[in-house]
mmCIF file of all heavy atoms in Angstrom:
data_model
loop_
_atom_site.group_PDB
_atom_site.id
_atom_site.type_symbol
_atom_site.label_atom_id
_atom_site.label_comp_id
_atom_site.label_asym_id
_atom_site.label_seq_id
_atom_site.Cartn_x
_atom_site.Cartn_y
_atom_site.Cartn_z
ATOM 1 N N LEU A 431 139.539 235.576 125.334
ATOM 2 C CA LEU A 431 139.230 236.897 125.700
ATOM 3 C C LEU A 431 137.735 237.116 125.825
ATOM 4 O O LEU A 431 137.261 237.758 126.824
ATOM 5 C CB LEU A 431 139.801 237.886 124.676
ATOM 6 C CG LEU A 431 141.328 238.154 124.753
ATOM 7 C CD1 LEU A 431 141.714 238.915 123.462
ATOM 8 C CD2 LEU A 431 141.654 238.951 125.970
ATOM 9 N N GLY A 432 137.004 236.640 124.895
ATOM 10 C CA GLY A 432 135.559 236.703 124.907
ATOM 11 C C GLY A 432 134.920 235.995 126.132
ATOM 12 O O GLY A 432 134.009 236.605 126.795
ATOM 13 N N HIS A 433 135.476 234.870 126.507
ATOM 14 C CA HIS A 433 134.923 234.197 127.675
ATOM 15 C C HIS A 433 135.260 234.956 128.964
ATOM 16 O O HIS A 433 134.385 235.086 129.840
ATOM 17 C CB HIS A 433 135.565 232.835 127.812
ATOM 18 C CG HIS A 433 135.065 231.798 126.823
ATOM 19 N ND1 HIS A 433 133.758 231.365 126.793
ATOM 20 C CD2 HIS A 433 135.647 231.242 125.780
ATOM 21 C CE1 HIS A 433 133.577 230.498 125.767
ATOM 22 N NE2 HIS A 433 134.695 230.441 125.116
ATOM 23 N N GLU A 434 136.478 235.494 129.093
ATOM 24 C CA GLU A 434 136.809 236.240 130.294
ATOM 25 C C GLU A 434 135.991 237.496 130.400
ATOM 26 O O GLU A 434 135.622 237.887 131.435
ATOM 27 C CB GLU A 434 138.362 236.486 130.314
ATOM 28 C CG GLU A 434 139.166 235.283 130.487
ATOM 29 C CD GLU A 434 138.761 234.490 131.754
ATOM 30 O OE1 GLU A 434 138.458 235.125 132.834
ATOM 31 O OE2 GLU A 434 138.811 233.266 131.756
ATOM 32 N N GLN A 435 135.787 238.145 129.293
ATOM 33 C CA GLN A 435 134.943 239.364 129.281
ATOM 34 C C GLN A 435 133.500 239.018 129.662
ATOM 35 O O GLN A 435 132.887 239.736 130.466
ATOM 36 C CB GLN A 435 134.976 240.021 127.896
ATOM 37 C CG GLN A 435 134.388 241.419 127.848
ATOM 38 C CD GLN A 435 134.660 242.067 126.516
ATOM 39 O OE1 GLN A 435 134.632 241.456 125.498
ATOM 40 N NE2 GLN A 435 134.939 243.345 126.538
ATOM 41 N N TYR A 436 133.006 237.896 129.238
ATOM 42 C CA TYR A 436 131.642 237.465 129.546
ATOM 43 C C TYR A 436 131.555 237.238 131.113
ATOM 44 O O TYR A 436 130.656 237.632 131.779
ATOM 45 C CB TYR A 436 131.304 236.232 128.802
ATOM 46 C CG TYR A 436 130.007 235.535 129.276
ATOM 47 C CD1 TYR A 436 128.794 236.056 128.879
ATOM 48 C CD2 TYR A 436 130.034 234.484 130.149
ATOM 49 C CE1 TYR A 436 127.618 235.453 129.292
ATOM 50 C CE2 TYR A 436 128.885 233.849 130.517
ATOM 51 C CZ TYR A 436 127.621 234.351 130.093
ATOM 52 O OH TYR A 436 126.530 233.779 130.569
ATOM 53 N N PHE A 437 132.610 236.510 131.639
ATOM 54 C CA PHE A 437 132.649 236.187 133.075
ATOM 55 C C PHE A 437 132.676 237.498 133.902
ATOM 56 O O PHE A 437 131.980 237.646 134.922
ATOM 57 C CB PHE A 437 133.796 235.325 133.495
ATOM 58 C CG PHE A 437 133.730 233.942 132.857
ATOM 59 C CD1 PHE A 437 134.841 233.266 132.387
ATOM 60 C CD2 PHE A 437 132.520 233.248 132.832
ATOM 61 C CE1 PHE A 437 134.824 232.035 131.881
ATOM 62 C CE2 PHE A 437 132.429 231.938 132.255
ATOM 63 C CZ PHE A 437 133.575 231.336 131.795
ATOM 64 N N GLN A 438 133.412 238.450 133.452
ATOM 65 C CA GLN A 438 133.476 239.744 134.128
ATOM 66 C C GLN A 438 132.110 240.472 134.180
ATOM 67 O O GLN A 438 131.661 240.921 135.225
ATOM 68 C CB GLN A 438 134.492 240.686 133.483
ATOM 69 C CG GLN A 438 135.945 240.391 133.680
ATOM 70 C CD GLN A 438 136.843 241.353 132.977
ATOM 71 O OE1 GLN A 438 136.780 242.567 133.234
ATOM 72 N NE2 GLN A 438 137.666 240.862 132.087
ATOM 73 N N THR A 439 131.478 240.436 133.011
ATOM 74 C CA THR A 439 130.143 241.061 132.860
ATOM 75 C C THR A 439 129.150 240.392 133.842
ATOM 76 O O THR A 439 128.356 241.059 134.521
ATOM 77 C CB THR A 439 129.618 240.941 131.458
ATOM 78 O OG1 THR A 439 130.581 241.596 130.593
ATOM 79 C CG2 THR A 439 128.311 241.547 131.299
ATOM 80 N N LYS A 440 129.145 239.044 133.868
ATOM 81 C CA LYS A 440 128.244 238.284 134.715
ATOM 82 C C LYS A 440 128.509 238.613 136.204
ATOM 83 O O LYS A 440 127.631 238.716 137.024
ATOM 84 C CB LYS A 440 128.256 236.833 134.408
ATOM 85 C CG LYS A 440 127.655 236.446 133.150
ATOM 86 C CD LYS A 440 126.150 236.809 133.167
ATOM 87 C CE LYS A 440 125.501 236.812 131.859
ATOM 88 N NZ LYS A 440 124.113 237.302 131.895
ATOM 89 N N CYS A 441 129.764 238.606 136.564
ATOM 90 C CA CYS A 441 130.088 238.950 137.906
ATOM 91 C C CYS A 441 129.661 240.303 138.340
ATOM 92 O O CYS A 441 129.076 240.486 139.403
ATOM 93 C CB CYS A 441 131.666 238.819 138.128
ATOM 94 S SG CYS A 441 132.345 237.135 138.216
ATOM 95 N N ASN A 442 129.869 241.307 137.446
ATOM 96 C CA ASN A 442 129.393 242.603 137.756
ATOM 97 C C ASN A 442 127.903 242.718 137.853
ATOM 98 O O ASN A 442 127.338 243.473 138.670
ATOM 99 C CB ASN A 442 129.891 243.573 136.691
ATOM 100 C CG ASN A 442 131.438 243.871 136.852
ATOM 101 O OD1 ASN A 442 131.931 243.735 137.925
ATOM 102 N ND2 ASN A 442 132.048 244.049 135.717
ATOM 103 N N GLU A 443 127.163 241.922 137.043
ATOM 104 C CA GLU A 443 125.691 241.878 137.200
ATOM 105 C C GLU A 443 125.300 241.361 138.535
ATOM 106 O O GLU A 443 124.359 241.819 139.173
ATOM 107 C CB GLU A 443 125.121 241.051 136.091
ATOM 108 C CG GLU A 443 125.153 241.656 134.749
ATOM 109 C CD GLU A 443 124.600 240.753 133.584
ATOM 110 O OE1 GLU A 443 124.143 239.630 133.918
ATOM 111 O OE2 GLU A 443 124.797 241.093 132.416
ATOM 112 N N ILE A 444 125.975 240.281 138.957
ATOM 113 C CA ILE A 444 125.654 239.727 140.254
ATOM 114 C C ILE A 444 125.997 240.635 141.409
ATOM 115 O O ILE A 444 125.194 240.802 142.321
ATOM 116 C CB ILE A 444 126.416 238.326 140.380
ATOM 117 C CG1 ILE A 444 125.857 237.334 139.415
ATOM 118 C CG2 ILE A 444 126.335 237.781 141.830
ATOM 119 C CD1 ILE A 444 126.725 236.084 139.282
ATOM 120 N N ILE A 445 127.162 241.360 141.302
ATOM 121 C CA ILE A 445 127.485 242.306 142.315
ATOM 122 C C ILE A 445 126.407 243.333 142.558
ATOM 123 O O ILE A 445 126.152 243.732 143.685
ATOM 124 C CB ILE A 445 128.858 242.931 141.974
ATOM 125 C CG1 ILE A 445 130.041 241.942 142.098
ATOM 126 C CG2 ILE A 445 129.127 244.168 142.883
ATOM 127 C CD1 ILE A 445 131.325 242.331 141.476
ATOM 128 N N SER A 446 125.798 243.759 141.429
ATOM 129 C CA SER A 446 124.798 244.811 141.564
ATOM 130 C C SER A 446 123.474 244.369 142.158
ATOM 131 O O SER A 446 122.664 245.162 142.544
ATOM 132 C CB SER A 446 124.529 245.479 140.180
ATOM 133 O OG SER A 446 123.993 244.561 139.274
ATOM 134 N N THR A 447 123.279 243.025 142.203
ATOM 135 C CA THR A 447 121.987 242.505 142.696
ATOM 136 C C THR A 447 122.124 241.836 144.061
ATOM 137 O O THR A 447 121.109 241.615 144.693
ATOM 138 C CB THR A 447 121.382 241.435 141.698
ATOM 139 O OG1 THR A 447 122.305 240.360 141.591
ATOM 140 C CG2 THR A 447 121.158 242.073 140.385
ATOM 141 N N VAL A 448 123.276 241.516 144.502
ATOM 142 C CA VAL A 448 123.524 240.770 145.771
ATOM 143 C C VAL A 448 123.518 241.757 146.929
ATOM 144 O O VAL A 448 124.228 242.791 146.851
ATOM 145 C CB VAL A 448 124.742 239.929 145.710
ATOM 146 C CG1 VAL A 448 125.111 239.333 147.004
ATOM 147 C CG2 VAL A 448 124.632 238.862 144.682
ATOM 148 N N SER A 449 122.860 241.431 147.995
ATOM 149 C CA SER A 449 122.841 242.262 149.182
ATOM 150 C C SER A 449 123.784 241.752 150.239
ATOM 151 O O SER A 449 124.243 242.534 151.108
ATOM 152 C CB SER A 449 121.455 242.467 149.719
ATOM 153 O OG SER A 449 120.931 241.235 150.076
ATOM 154 N N ASP A 450 124.100 240.461 150.238
ATOM 155 C CA ASP A 450 124.965 239.851 151.249
ATOM 156 C C ASP A 450 126.425 240.324 151.010
ATOM 157 O O ASP A 450 126.968 240.113 149.935
ATOM 158 C CB ASP A 450 124.936 238.343 151.197
ATOM 159 C CG ASP A 450 125.755 237.694 152.228
ATOM 160 O OD1 ASP A 450 125.285 237.443 153.368
ATOM 161 O OD2 ASP A 450 126.941 237.316 151.869
ATOM 162 N N SER A 451 127.016 240.964 151.968
ATOM 163 C CA SER A 451 128.333 241.632 151.816
ATOM 164 C C SER A 451 129.386 240.625 151.593
ATOM 165 O O SER A 451 130.368 240.806 150.865
ATOM 166 C CB SER A 451 128.658 242.529 152.988
ATOM 167 O OG SER A 451 128.730 241.781 154.182
ATOM 168 N N GLU A 452 129.352 239.449 152.262
ATOM 169 C CA GLU A 452 130.363 238.450 152.137
ATOM 170 C C GLU A 452 130.340 237.845 150.752
ATOM 171 O O GLU A 452 131.333 237.624 150.145
ATOM 172 C CB GLU A 452 130.160 237.322 153.201
ATOM 173 C CG GLU A 452 131.266 236.337 153.222
ATOM 174 C CD GLU A 452 131.148 235.295 154.343
ATOM 175 O OE1 GLU A 452 130.505 235.626 155.382
ATOM 176 O OE2 GLU A 452 131.618 234.254 154.230
ATOM 177 N N LEU A 453 129.104 237.549 150.243
ATOM 178 C CA LEU A 453 128.943 237.021 148.871
ATOM 179 C C LEU A 453 129.383 238.079 147.859
ATOM 180 O O LEU A 453 130.097 237.721 146.903
ATOM 181 C CB LEU A 453 127.493 236.582 148.615
ATOM 182 C CG LEU A 453 127.173 235.970 147.311
ATOM 183 C CD1 LEU A 453 128.038 234.761 147.041
ATOM 184 C CD2 LEU A 453 125.701 235.616 147.223
ATOM 185 N N LYS A 454 129.031 239.295 148.071
ATOM 186 C CA LYS A 454 129.468 240.390 147.173
ATOM 187 C C LYS A 454 130.949 240.483 147.090
ATOM 188 O O LYS A 454 131.534 240.637 146.003
ATOM 189 C CB LYS A 454 128.821 241.695 147.620
ATOM 190 C CG LYS A 454 129.039 242.821 146.608
ATOM 191 C CD LYS A 454 128.293 244.054 147.067
ATOM 192 C CE LYS A 454 126.907 243.988 146.663
ATOM 193 N NZ LYS A 454 126.138 245.258 146.622
ATOM 194 N N SER A 455 131.603 240.349 148.273
ATOM 195 C CA SER A 455 133.033 240.438 148.273
ATOM 196 C C SER A 455 133.706 239.297 147.462
ATOM 197 O O SER A 455 134.664 239.492 146.730
ATOM 198 C CB SER A 455 133.547 240.423 149.737
ATOM 199 O OG SER A 455 134.987 240.439 149.776
ATOM 200 N N SER A 456 133.163 238.092 147.657
ATOM 201 C CA SER A 456 133.633 236.953 146.926
ATOM 202 C C SER A 456 133.510 237.124 145.431
ATOM 203 O O SER A 456 134.389 236.801 144.601
ATOM 204 C CB SER A 456 132.908 235.665 147.343
ATOM 205 O OG SER A 456 133.188 235.371 148.660
ATOM 206 N N VAL A 457 132.350 237.599 144.939
ATOM 207 C CA VAL A 457 132.135 237.824 143.538
ATOM 208 C C VAL A 457 133.026 238.945 143.020
ATOM 209 O O VAL A 457 133.508 238.855 141.920
ATOM 210 C CB VAL A 457 130.626 238.112 143.277
ATOM 211 C CG1 VAL A 457 130.354 238.383 141.805
ATOM 212 C CG2 VAL A 457 129.764 236.897 143.751
ATOM 213 N N GLN A 458 133.280 239.977 143.831
ATOM 214 C CA GLN A 458 134.230 241.030 143.425
ATOM 215 C C GLN A 458 135.580 240.443 143.235
ATOM 216 O O GLN A 458 136.288 240.843 142.285
ATOM 217 C CB GLN A 458 134.194 242.153 144.447
ATOM 218 C CG GLN A 458 132.964 243.008 144.371
ATOM 219 C CD GLN A 458 132.903 243.970 145.540
ATOM 220 O OE1 GLN A 458 133.353 243.729 146.649
ATOM 221 N NE2 GLN A 458 132.255 245.112 145.294
ATOM 222 N N THR A 459 135.959 239.568 144.093
ATOM 223 C CA THR A 459 137.310 238.936 143.958
ATOM 224 C C THR A 459 137.364 238.077 142.677
ATOM 225 O O THR A 459 138.355 238.156 141.911
ATOM 226 C CB THR A 459 137.531 237.966 145.160
ATOM 227 O OG1 THR A 459 137.599 238.726 146.333
ATOM 228 C CG2 THR A 459 138.879 237.248 145.054
ATOM 229 N N MET A 460 136.302 237.354 142.385
ATOM 230 C CA MET A 460 136.188 236.616 141.119
ATOM 231 C C MET A 460 136.273 237.545 139.948
ATOM 232 O O MET A 460 136.975 237.210 138.970
ATOM 233 C CB MET A 460 134.933 235.756 141.058
ATOM 234 C CG MET A 460 134.953 234.580 142.038
ATOM 235 S SD MET A 460 133.402 233.604 142.174
ATOM 236 C CE MET A 460 132.558 233.886 140.724
ATOM 237 N N ALA A 461 135.587 238.633 139.928
ATOM 238 C CA ALA A 461 135.569 239.583 138.816
ATOM 239 C C ALA A 461 136.997 240.134 138.593
ATOM 240 O O ALA A 461 137.466 240.232 137.501
ATOM 241 C CB ALA A 461 134.625 240.704 139.093
ATOM 242 N N GLY A 462 137.676 240.352 139.708
ATOM 243 C CA GLY A 462 139.085 240.893 139.568
ATOM 244 C C GLY A 462 139.967 239.870 139.015
ATOM 245 O O GLY A 462 140.881 240.144 138.167
ATOM 246 N N LYS A 463 139.802 238.588 139.385
ATOM 247 C CA LYS A 463 140.593 237.527 138.843
ATOM 248 C C LYS A 463 140.356 237.324 137.336
ATOM 249 O O LYS A 463 141.299 237.184 136.558
ATOM 250 C CB LYS A 463 140.285 236.166 139.577
ATOM 251 C CG LYS A 463 141.192 235.026 139.137
ATOM 252 C CD LYS A 463 142.609 235.346 139.556
ATOM 253 C CE LYS A 463 143.496 234.167 139.165
ATOM 254 N NZ LYS A 463 144.939 234.518 139.320
ATOM 255 N N HIS A 464 139.099 237.424 136.967
ATOM 256 C CA HIS A 464 138.789 237.305 135.494
ATOM 257 C C HIS A 464 139.402 238.455 134.709
ATOM 258 O O HIS A 464 139.752 238.332 133.523
ATOM 259 C CB HIS A 464 137.296 237.225 135.272
ATOM 260 C CG HIS A 464 136.757 235.882 135.611
ATOM 261 N ND1 HIS A 464 137.163 234.736 134.956
ATOM 262 C CD2 HIS A 464 135.882 235.466 136.580
ATOM 263 C CE1 HIS A 464 136.512 233.668 135.466
ATOM 264 N NE2 HIS A 464 135.759 234.122 136.503
ATOM 265 N N LYS A 465 139.431 239.692 135.375
ATOM 266 C CA LYS A 465 140.070 240.818 134.712
ATOM 267 C C LYS A 465 141.555 240.571 134.555
ATOM 268 O O LYS A 465 142.149 240.878 133.443
ATOM 269 C CB LYS A 465 139.790 242.097 135.498
ATOM 270 C CG LYS A 465 140.315 243.288 134.877
ATOM 271 C CD LYS A 465 139.978 244.598 135.615
ATOM 272 C CE LYS A 465 140.498 245.782 134.819
ATOM 273 N NZ LYS A 465 140.079 247.076 135.446
ATOM 274 N N GLU A 466 142.219 240.003 135.564
ATOM 275 C CA GLU A 466 143.644 239.629 135.435
ATOM 276 C C GLU A 466 143.867 238.647 134.299
ATOM 277 O O GLU A 466 144.835 238.820 133.535
ATOM 278 C CB GLU A 466 144.111 239.074 136.742
ATOM 279 C CG GLU A 466 144.260 240.003 137.891
ATOM 280 C CD GLU A 466 144.636 239.296 139.196
ATOM 281 O OE1 GLU A 466 145.224 238.168 139.114
ATOM 282 O OE2 GLU A 466 144.348 239.839 140.230
ATOM 283 N N ILE A 467 143.012 237.691 134.273
ATOM 284 C CA ILE A 467 143.188 236.591 133.209
ATOM 285 C C ILE A 467 142.997 237.262 131.815
ATOM 286 O O ILE A 467 143.720 237.003 130.872
ATOM 287 C CB ILE A 467 142.225 235.447 133.425
ATOM 288 C CG1 ILE A 467 142.562 234.698 134.712
ATOM 289 C CG2 ILE A 467 142.229 234.531 132.212
ATOM 290 C CD1 ILE A 467 141.503 233.754 135.179
ATOM 291 N N PHE A 468 141.955 238.142 131.729
ATOM 292 C CA PHE A 468 141.712 238.846 130.461
ATOM 293 C C PHE A 468 142.952 239.654 130.033
ATOM 294 O O PHE A 468 143.359 239.492 128.871
ATOM 295 C CB PHE A 468 140.489 239.790 130.586
ATOM 296 C CG PHE A 468 140.220 240.597 129.427
ATOM 297 C CD1 PHE A 468 139.304 240.077 128.398
ATOM 298 C CD2 PHE A 468 140.766 241.863 129.228
ATOM 299 C CE1 PHE A 468 139.051 240.872 127.310
ATOM 300 C CE2 PHE A 468 140.489 242.613 128.073
ATOM 301 C CZ PHE A 468 139.607 242.109 127.109
ATOM 302 N N ASN A 469 143.512 240.354 130.968
ATOM 303 C CA ASN A 469 144.706 241.147 130.659
ATOM 304 C C ASN A 469 145.865 240.257 130.275
ATOM 305 O O ASN A 469 146.720 240.619 129.444
ATOM 306 C CB ASN A 469 145.048 242.090 131.846
ATOM 307 C CG ASN A 469 144.047 243.207 131.968
ATOM 308 O OD1 ASN A 469 143.436 243.648 130.979
ATOM 309 N ND2 ASN A 469 143.888 243.710 133.184
ATOM 310 N N SER A 470 146.020 239.146 130.900
ATOM 311 C CA SER A 470 147.086 238.215 130.540
ATOM 312 C C SER A 470 146.938 237.698 129.124
ATOM 313 O O SER A 470 147.937 237.653 128.359
ATOM 314 C CB SER A 470 147.076 236.950 131.448
ATOM 315 O OG SER A 470 147.413 237.380 132.809
ATOM 316 N N PHE A 471 145.718 237.351 128.716
ATOM 317 C CA PHE A 471 145.510 236.962 127.308
ATOM 318 C C PHE A 471 145.713 238.139 126.344
ATOM 319 O O PHE A 471 146.302 237.919 125.269
ATOM 320 C CB PHE A 471 144.053 236.440 127.135
ATOM 321 C CG PHE A 471 143.895 235.056 127.592
ATOM 322 C CD1 PHE A 471 142.949 234.724 128.539
ATOM 323 C CD2 PHE A 471 144.681 234.008 127.149
ATOM 324 C CE1 PHE A 471 142.753 233.443 128.999
ATOM 325 C CE2 PHE A 471 144.545 232.632 127.537
ATOM 326 C CZ PHE A 471 143.553 232.386 128.494
ATOM 327 N N LEU A 472 145.313 239.289 126.781
ATOM 328 C CA LEU A 472 145.440 240.493 125.962
ATOM 329 C C LEU A 472 146.986 240.799 125.710
ATOM 330 O O LEU A 472 147.386 241.172 124.588
ATOM 331 C CB LEU A 472 144.808 241.709 126.581
ATOM 332 C CG LEU A 472 144.576 242.926 125.731
ATOM 333 C CD1 LEU A 472 143.720 242.579 124.520
ATOM 334 C CD2 LEU A 472 143.905 243.965 126.558
ATOM 335 N N ASN A 473 147.770 240.588 126.730
ATOM 336 C CA ASN A 473 149.209 240.759 126.637
ATOM 337 C C ASN A 473 149.924 239.811 125.597
ATOM 338 O O ASN A 473 150.937 240.085 125.050
ATOM 339 C CB ASN A 473 149.914 240.666 127.977
ATOM 340 C CG ASN A 473 149.631 241.882 128.885
ATOM 341 O OD1 ASN A 473 149.319 242.960 128.345
ATOM 342 N ND2 ASN A 473 149.695 241.639 130.182
ATOM 343 N N LEU A 474 149.236 238.672 125.379
ATOM 344 C CA LEU A 474 149.790 237.740 124.414
ATOM 345 C C LEU A 474 149.717 238.283 123.003
ATOM 346 O O LEU A 474 150.483 237.925 122.096
ATOM 347 C CB LEU A 474 148.964 236.406 124.451
ATOM 348 C CG LEU A 474 149.161 235.501 125.680
ATOM 349 C CD1 LEU A 474 148.237 234.313 125.597
ATOM 350 C CD2 LEU A 474 150.606 235.049 125.796
ATOM 351 N N LEU A 475 148.791 239.233 122.812
ATOM 352 C CA LEU A 475 148.621 239.776 121.489
ATOM 353 C C LEU A 475 149.564 240.945 121.147
ATOM 354 O O LEU A 475 149.655 241.366 120.026
ATOM 355 C CB LEU A 475 147.171 240.314 121.341
ATOM 356 C CG LEU A 475 146.069 239.245 121.489
ATOM 357 C CD1 LEU A 475 144.687 239.863 121.377
ATOM 358 C CD2 LEU A 475 146.251 238.157 120.427
#
């Protein structure tokens, strides 16, 4: 859970600094995937 939360935070930091729309979209997709994984682990609890 801690790792996935860290990855989400880093993705969001990158999203706020990147100006290239294609790269920003890719990172947003990655952030969404890490959120899904986080929620999957959370559901185990």
Side-chain angles (χ1 to χ4, degrees):
L431 283 168
H433 287 292
E434 291 305 323
Q435 192 170 35
Y436 172 79
F437 293 141
Q438 286 179 59
T439 301
K440 287 299 169 186
C441 286
N442 290 329
E443 287 175 9
I444 292 168
I445 290 167
S446 67
T447 61
V448 171
S449 59
D450 181 87
S451 61
E452 189 175 332
L453 182 57
K454 187 176 279 198
S455 177
S456 294
V457 177
Q458 286 171 329
T459 300
M460 288 175 24
K463 186 63 178 171
H464 285 297
K465 184 175 183 174
E466 289 176 23
I467 294 169
F468 178 89
N469 288 333
S470 294
F471 282 123
L472 194 60
N473 287 335
L474 290 174
L475 299 177

